[in-house]
Amino acid sequence: MPQGYSIGIFNSIDESGSEVLPDASVFFNPEYFKALESAQFGGFSFLYGKVYKDTKLAGIIYFQLIDLSFVKIGSVIHAEPYGKFMKLVSEKITRSLLGNKGDKKHFLLVNGNMCVSGNFGIYMLDEHKSFLPDIYDKILEAAEATVSKFGELSVTIVKDFHFNADVLNKKLSSLNFIRFVMDPVMVLDMDPFWKTFDDYLSSLTSKYRLRTVNVMERLAGMELRILDVNDMELHKDRLELLYHAVVNKSPIRIIQPDIGYLIQLKKYMKDVFIVKSWFKDNEPVAFFTAFNFKGLTEAHHIGMDYHLNKEYSFYQNILYGL
């Protein structure tokens, strides 16, 4: 370890302490971690690595620990919509992860967050980033040692970081990690001249402006409501159906959250977490969620009635609604 640095591994956010690092994403906020813990995902537990420099917090390393034998996880790849070939691939990947020892629990250790896309497993203050490669193997060893107390570690994933620009890539290569590329993260930079949605519309060409207006007009007659916790509880069953209609179409389903996760987010994050839903005949037909934190809007999970999507263009309207 570099001189003056130390690490700690904790099993809960309350145990680790509630220090907040400046400029950290909402996904490193203690209240967000509490919401995840309260959601009680089946087969999930969490580890929090804290990096200290001379007793002061210098960084957070966040891990999710997934029990691969847990019945609700099922196969790693949701192969049903993709035919027999993908089913065979799914079964092979699942067998390789679970291994051959049926008498022990097998775990997937994720340095990152399976609920969101992006590099939300590691946050170091700028003045300490250069030391991360020198301490990362010690953090990983400590986390893996904790896992070994409960069962066998099958796979470790370091999730979603900018490979070419990250100080950690050479270290991960030396530790025999294999790089693979997933879907890109979509980012929209806001023009400072856009003060209203009409300003955005006026910046489009006439073709795309007309297309946008036509898509938005499809929702005429529907009511867009901002939901609080009580609203979400009241319409919980319907929101659950809309949510799983989207989740079930995802080809990768290691985690299977339910609407309870979003309710916990609303309880803990309050106005930082936004939930909006379109209602038809006083019943939710589509909803979207987002975090609004320190000038950034981070789109989160959505739900919709796919039978109505073609008529009402919910997905495109969700993008505009954010």
Side-chain angles (χ1 to χ4, degrees):
M1 294 283 288
Q3 186 174 4
Y5 283 89
S6 61
I7 60 173
I9 299 291
F10 307 93
N11 293 304
S12 71
I13 188 61
D14 286 338
E15 179 186 334
S16 72
S18 58
E19 301 116 311
V20 178
L21 290 172
D23 299 322
S25 161
V26 66
F27 299 116
F28 290 97
N29 187 293
E31 295 304 307
Y32 173 76
F33 289 140
K34 288 179 182 179
L36 279 179
E37 291 182 3
S38 298
Q40 298 182 335
F41 297 136
F44 261 64
S45 54
F46 309 94
L47 297 175
Y48 305 88
K50 295 290 185 74
V51 180
Y52 300 93
K53 177 66 164 68
D54 299 330
T55 72
K56 291 185 178 181
L57 186 63
I60 298 173
I61 317 294
Y62 174 64
F63 295 93
Q64 293 180 337
L65 183 60
I66 305 170
D67 179 358
L68 291 169
S69 65
F70 193 79
V71 66
K72 287 188 179 180
I73 290 175
S75 63
V76 173
I77 294 179
H78 176 218
E80 292 173 11
Y82 302 94
K84 292 183 179 180
F85 175 74
M86 284 301 294
K87 183 178 181 181
L88 291 172
V89 172
S90 169
E91 291 172 352
K92 185 173 182 178
I93 292 175
T94 303
R95 283 197 304 271
S96 69
L97 288 176
L98 295 178
N100 298 317
K101 299 178 181 179
D103 58 334
K104 296 183 71 174
K105 285 187 176 182
H106 291 71
F107 291 96
L108 170 64
L109 181 65
V110 181
N111 181 192
N113 192 333
M114 298 299 288
C115 296
V116 295
S117 296
N119 183 10
F120 302 119
I122 301 170
Y123 182 75
M124 298 287 292
L125 295 178
D126 287 342
E127 60 266 33
H128 302 289
K129 283 182 179 179
S130 62
F131 293 97
L132 180 60
D134 299 322
I135 60 180
Y136 187 75
D137 52 350
K138 299 298 183 184
I139 296 169
L140 205 57
E141 287 173 10
E144 291 175 347
T146 301
V147 175
S148 67
K149 297 176 183 178
F150 307 106
E152 185 170 309
L153 179 61
S154 293
V155 178
T156 300
I157 296 175
V158 183
K159 182 178 179 290
D160 293 355
F161 67 94
H162 302 292
F163 186 82
N164 293 325
D166 201 284
V167 298
L168 200 56
N169 59 39
K170 290 182 179 179
K171 168 61 71 174
L172 293 176
S173 296
S174 72
L175 295 173
N176 296 318
F177 279 83
I178 299 171
R179 177 192 179 197
F180 63 96
V181 180
M182 298 295 286
D183 292 336
V185 175
M186 295 188 293
V187 177
L188 174 64
D189 293 322
M190 302 298 288
D191 190 312
F193 294 102
W194 296 343
K195 304 300 183 184
T196 66
F197 191 76
D198 286 338
D199 294 334
Y200 164 73
L201 283 178
S202 65
S203 71
L204 302 177
T205 64
S206 58
K207 173 185 175 181
Y208 287 102
R209 183 163 57 248
L210 179 61
R211 181 179 297 179
T212 299
V213 171
N214 288 339
V215 165
M216 296 181 69
E217 286 179 346
R218 293 186 181 187
L219 292 177
M222 286 196 185
E223 180 186 3
L224 181 61
R225 301 182 190 175
I226 299 174
L227 305 186
D228 59 21
V229 171
N230 292 332
D231 296 325
M232 296 176 74
E233 292 282 7
L234 178 63
H235 298 285
K236 182 177 180 179
D237 292 342
R238 177 62 180 170
L239 294 174
E240 185 80 77
L241 288 174
L242 300 176
Y243 190 29
H244 277 281
V246 175
V247 171
N248 290 340
K249 286 184 176 291
S250 173
I252 306 295
R253 283 197 323 191
I254 290 179
I255 181 173
Q256 296 187 34
D258 56 27
I259 201 66
Y261 161 61
L262 300 182
I263 291 175
Q264 292 301 320
L265 285 178
K266 189 62 182 173
K267 285 181 178 178
Y268 280 93
M269 303 304 293
K270 299 181 172 58
D271 292 341
V272 170
F273 186 62
I274 301 163
V275 184
K276 294 184 180 182
S277 177
W278 284 287
F279 280 71
K280 179 179 171 61
D281 299 327
N282 207 36
E283 182 177 69
V285 289
F287 74 87
F288 59 95
T289 65
F291 294 92
N292 196 340
F293 186 72
K294 294 184 177 179
L296 294 175
T297 297
E298 180 86 31
H300 206 47
H301 294 200
I302 66 173
M304 69 179 73
D305 185 334
Y306 278 98
H307 297 293
L308 299 175
N309 185 49
K310 186 174 182 180
E311 179 180 356
Y312 294 105
S313 297
F314 288 134
Y315 183 73
Q316 286 177 274
N317 275 292
I318 284 171
L319 297 177
Y320 299 138
L322 289 167

